[in-house]
Amino acid sequence: GQQLNQSPQSMFIQEGEDVSMNCTSSSIFNTWLWYKQDPGEGPVLLIALYKAGELTSNGRLTAQFGITRKDSFLNISASIPSDVGIYFCAGLLFSGNTPLVFGKGTRLSVIA
Amino acid sequence: DAGITQSPRHKVTETGTPVTLRCHQTENHRYMYWYRQDPGHGLRLIHYSYGVKDTDKGEVSDGYSVSRSKTEDFLLTLESATSSQTSVYFCASRPGQGIWNQPQHFGDGTRLSIL
């Protein structure tokens, strides 16, 4: 089946640093999504991308839909302690009822 | 939010017992999903539904069954629970019918422990 390779698996950064994570796939997608999961909660949508090349921001977060439609990245600027959590990328290819494909997540730790 | 409620939020049970988890959504979403989350594996799809009484298997469907008799409810059943099914289970839903690429939203999870 389709797989997303998400990297890095985990990151430890100092408060105030910028963060970058990415997802790659051997398949093309029509939609890329980025979710964040706080401990003990369900994933929450951060950013949705619908066009190849699209660059979208949400506060300190910026995500891009790769022009090949096979990759996406998420940047977090000036990290703060509440950025701690697991970040998931997900891709959707509309083909009947095909469900989302998820990456395995990037666990972010922020050191104050 | 998609108004997704999972019940129960926590459950402890014994090996061999049947377990049913419920997902209820109030947004009239067409698609609903059940995932399990385990350390090192991310979110893995168990089963999903694309309409009332229309369901399909995900990547880890063995040992699980689902039912969707109403748009708003999607039930996940472990007919005879095993310790390997100890996990955190998440339900998700998203619209369909012309809004095919709207993102799915998740419930808060059910933590299931099988002793």
Side-chain angles (χ1 to χ4, degrees), chain A residues 30-31 33 35 37 40-45 48 50 86 88 92-94 96-100 102-105, chain B residues 1 9 30-31 33 35 37 40-43 45 48 50 88 90 94 100-109 111:
Chain A
N30 292 331
T31 298
L33 306 169
Y35 290 85
Q37 184 180 28
E41 299 183 11
V44 173
L45 181 70
Y50 298 109
I86 304 176
F88 292 99
L92 179 63
L93 175 65
F94 180 64
N97 301 308
T98 307
L100 276 179
F102 278 88
K104 292 191 175 181
Chain B
D1 268 355
R9 292 296 313 279
R30 174 183 178 186
Y31 295 97
Y33 307 86
Y35 295 86
Q37 184 175 31
H41 291 279
L43 294 159
L45 183 65
Y48 64 101
Y50 46 95
V88 181
F90 287 100
R94 69 179 179 92
W100 62 269
N101 60 354
Q102 285 296 307
Q104 65 192 49
H105 296 273
F106 287 82
D108 287 333
R111 186 172 295 274

Side-chain angles (χ1 to χ4, degrees), chain B residues 56-106:
Chain B
D56 206 347
K57 297 179 180 179
E59 64 177 300
V60 290
S61 60
D62 286 350
Y64 301 95
S65 62
V66 289
S67 66
R68 189 156 179 216
S69 59
K70 297 186 289 185
T71 297
E72 58 265 34
D73 290 325
F74 193 32
L75 304 181
L76 177 70
T77 298
L78 292 65
E79 299 289 348
S80 178
T82 67
S83 58
S84 64
Q85 293 175 310
T86 292
S87 186
V88 181
Y89 291 85
F90 287 100
C91 175
S93 74
R94 69 179 179 92
Q97 305 292 5
I99 320 175
W100 62 269
N101 60 354
Q102 285 296 307
Q104 65 192 49
H105 296 273
F106 287 82

Side-chain angles (χ1 to χ4, degrees), chain A residues 17-95:
Chain A
E17 288 184 352
D18 296 343
V19 173
S20 184
M21 59 191 77
N22 68 82
C23 265
T24 61
S25 171
S26 57
S27 305
I28 61 172
F29 290 104
N30 292 331
T31 298
W32 281 93
L33 306 169
W34 286 91
Y35 290 85
K36 183 197 176 195
Q37 184 180 28
D38 291 325
E41 299 183 11
V44 173
L45 181 70
L46 297 174
I47 291 179
L49 302 159
Y50 298 109
K51 290 183 185 178
E54 181 180 358
L55 185 72
T56 297
S57 293
N58 177 7
R60 293 178 296 106
L61 279 59
T62 301
Q64 184 156 30
F65 192 144
I67 57 173
T68 65
R69 295 166 62 193
K70 292 183 178 181
D71 62 337
S72 177
F73 72 75
L74 175 70
N75 286 344
I76 306 172
S77 63
S79 59
I80 59 178
S82 62
D83 291 334
V84 165
I86 304 176
Y87 292 79
F88 292 99
C89 63
L92 179 63
L93 175 65
F94 180 64
S95 175

Side-chain angles (χ1 to χ4, degrees), chain B residues 43-55:
Chain B
L43 294 159
R44 292 185 290 176
L45 183 65
I46 305 171
H47 281 279
Y48 64 101
S49 169
Y50 46 95
V52 173
K53 298 189 178 178
D54 292 323
T55 65

